[in-house]
Amino acid sequence: MPDLFSPYTLKSVTVRNRIAMSPMTMYRSTDGQVSDFHLMLLGSRAAGGFGLVFAEQIAIQPDGRTSMGCAGLWDDAQMDGLSRIVRLVKHMGAVPAIQLGHTGRRGSENKPWQGRTQLPPSDPDGWQVRGPSPIPHGRRYTLPVQELSVGDIRDIMRAYADAARRAAECGFEWLEMHFAHGYLGSSFFSPLGNQRTDQYGGSRDKRLRFHREALDAVREVWPSQLPLTVRLGSDDFNENGIRFDDAIWAIAELKKHGLDFADISLGLNTDDMKDVPFDQVGFMVERAARVRREAAVPVGVSWNLGIPAAADRVIREELADIVSNPHWPFWAAQELAHSDPVSLLPEDWGWWLRNRPGPEGSIGWPPVASRTGR
């Protein structure tokens, strides 16, 4: 019977345990290039015992970033910094993983601690956001969205392939394509973001065409012996959006196109969500377990899995194959009753933990009652 600390093998890659360092946008890049900060962060997580270590979402095109401070791999000049990270992560005994994506209509943002507003193309740090249809995401994402042409989509497929080739040359051993969280892939699959009438919109099958073609493009250049995975937005928690049965069907379809593993997350294609169980420990686990059973694809899962016993149960009961949580060291400060554990962290990192509370008893970020200044 596997447990949280059992090795896990997928294709030719063996991860030393079932714990993954989640991709986290850090807003510390210049011209899409990672820095010594990223080397420190990811190397220390590998040294700290994580089995699978992801860099933040890496943009495949300049307008695929969340902000001007985010990393990319659309240019060969961006490879050196990522290659250094790969070498250090491997030296520390972990598997280096990369997540490729495009933010679509949720891009062109300010840094969160600077207001997290969407910036217009006229701003020096902004650009024209693009998506499957000219529909803004809503709430703070209100700027006009340029609809992608079929030619634009083909350019994006080439960008996925080019970034995947560079990732392989950097030495990454695990590649995840980000199709969740309201970003471009997620918005293509959701009727909330995709109201096209051509071959990329309309029926559920047509809305998944973007994902199939992107996976096919990457499969052509990514080494066949290495895992090729996706993070899928599995539920919009909105009656007009993606529903969970759609996600099970989608993963089974993508398996036909070479998918090796699925990370099950949220759609987040709208802020108008109902009955999202954010306050429940491991609330995505049962959904991931259904994908694992019904689509016969190995799965990873995150969201409120900081309690070690809860994470271990997920593995022991074979509900998922890998769990993700980036903040376990922070837990020690909480357990030792430090007056303000978040104050131990850099301002940008601490901002997330103060503003994204977990359920009572969660490990990884503070529950509502312990947030300061709220």
Side-chain angles (χ1 to χ4, degrees), residues 216-227:
D216 288 346
V218 170
R219 183 81 281 173
E220 285 291 320
V221 299
W222 182 247
S224 60
Q225 74 274 16
L226 300 179

Side-chain angles (χ1 to χ4, degrees), residues 175-191:
L175 189 152
E176 178 177 275
M177 304 175 73
H178 198 347
F179 295 149
H181 300 175
Y183 295 154
L184 188 59
S186 184
S187 61
F188 260 97
F189 191 42
S190 175

Side-chain angles (χ1 to χ4, degrees), residues 242-271:
I242 301 165
R243 308 302 291 174
F244 191 70
D245 286 345
D246 297 329
I248 297 173
W249 168 83
I251 294 298
E253 287 295 307
L254 294 177
K255 181 180 178 182
K256 300 173 186 176
H257 290 255
L259 178 67
D260 298 315
F261 184 100
D263 181 0
I264 306 303
S265 193
L266 301 179
L268 299 182
N269 285 292
T270 178
D271 288 321

Side-chain angles (χ1 to χ4, degrees), residues 73-96:
L73 196 47
W74 63 82
D75 191 292
D76 289 350
Q78 295 157 338
M79 295 173 62
D80 286 348
L82 290 168
S83 296
R84 289 179 67 207
I85 289 170
V86 164
R87 290 192 294 269
L88 182 57
V89 168
K90 286 184 179 180
H91 186 64
M92 294 294 107
V95 171

Side-chain angles (χ1 to χ4, degrees), residues 53-114:
V53 174
F54 276 95
E56 64 187 74
Q57 178 183 226
I58 304 296
I60 60 169
Q61 292 180 321
D63 72 339
R65 291 175 289 179
T66 302
S67 77
M68 283 290 190
C70 295
L73 196 47
W74 63 82
D75 191 292
D76 289 350
Q78 295 157 338
M79 295 173 62
D80 286 348
L82 290 168
S83 296
R84 289 179 67 207
I85 289 170
V86 164
R87 290 192 294 269
L88 182 57
V89 168
K90 286 184 179 180
H91 186 64
M92 294 294 107
V95 171
I98 189 168
Q99 183 189 71
L100 298 179
H102 192 299
T103 54
R105 60 187 183 151
R106 290 191 66 181
S108 192
E109 268 195 11
N110 238 334
K111 294 176 181 178
W113 49 95
Q114 295 176 346

Side-chain angles (χ1 to χ4, degrees), residues 343-354:
S343 69
L344 303 176
L345 306 174
E347 178 191 18
D348 48 2
W349 205 338
W351 185 93
W352 288 102
L353 293 177
R354 290 190 193 279

